[in-house]
């Protein structure tokens, strides 16, 4: 196993900072990557941060995390959280632990966000803390 933590981000998260800041905050994905790299350095973890608007990329990267011997995956599958059996199956197909991450708390929002396919395969979830959700999830990954 390596000390690499994959941080996978799904659709529309490339627009963080300008996208509904009242819901998701003003930090950009680059800001979050910087926060994770700083905390990762303290924890002895290397961060591999990626974002895609395409479901299959998330599936491929989950497979890759296993093949590369990643320590853990932090996964904010964004809207695919609520729709993607393919992402759930990929999580179940690998032994690498996956921690579900959300900036907002989807369960306090619209009904269609209440169900998470990712949660059916993830070992843990951190949500509702804005950018800090990622940092707390990284600390949980370090403790695995
Ligand atoms: C999100 C919550 C999802 O419901 C939404 O589709 C997103 C972002 C979050 O980080 O709060 O795109 O995953």
């Amino acid at each position: 196993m390596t000390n690499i933590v994959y941080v996978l981000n799904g659709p529309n998260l490339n627009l963080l900072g300008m996208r509904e800041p009242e819901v998701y905050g003003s930090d950009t994905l680059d800001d979050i990557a910087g926060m994770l790299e700083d905390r990762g350095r303290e924890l002895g973890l290397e961060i591999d941060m990626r974002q895609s608007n395409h479901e299959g990329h998330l599936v491929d990267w989950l497979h890759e995390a296993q093949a590369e011997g990643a320590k853990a995956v932090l996964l904010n599958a964004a809207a695919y959280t609520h729709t993607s059996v393919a992402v759930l199956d990929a999580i179940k197909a690998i032994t690498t632990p996956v921690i579900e991450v959300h900036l907002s708390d989807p369960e306090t929002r619209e009904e269609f966000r209440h169900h998470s396919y990712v949660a059916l395969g993830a070992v843990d979830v951190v949500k509702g803390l804005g950018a800090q959700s990622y940092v707390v999830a990284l600390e949980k990954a370090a403790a695995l």
Side-chain angles (χ1 to χ4, degrees), residues 11 13 19 24 76 78-79 81-82 101-104 106 109 113:
L13 293 172
R19 173 194 182 204
Y24 298 117
N76 186 349
T81 303
H82 316 299
V101 180
H102 299 286
L103 296 135
S104 67
R109 300 177 60 197
R113 296 184 202 275

Side-chain angles (χ1 to χ4, degrees), residues 55-72:
E55 187 175 13
H57 288 164
L58 297 177
V59 171
D60 289 343
W61 291 340
L62 285 161
H63 298 175
E64 185 188 314
Q66 160 100 334
E68 294 297 320
K71 179 173 172 60

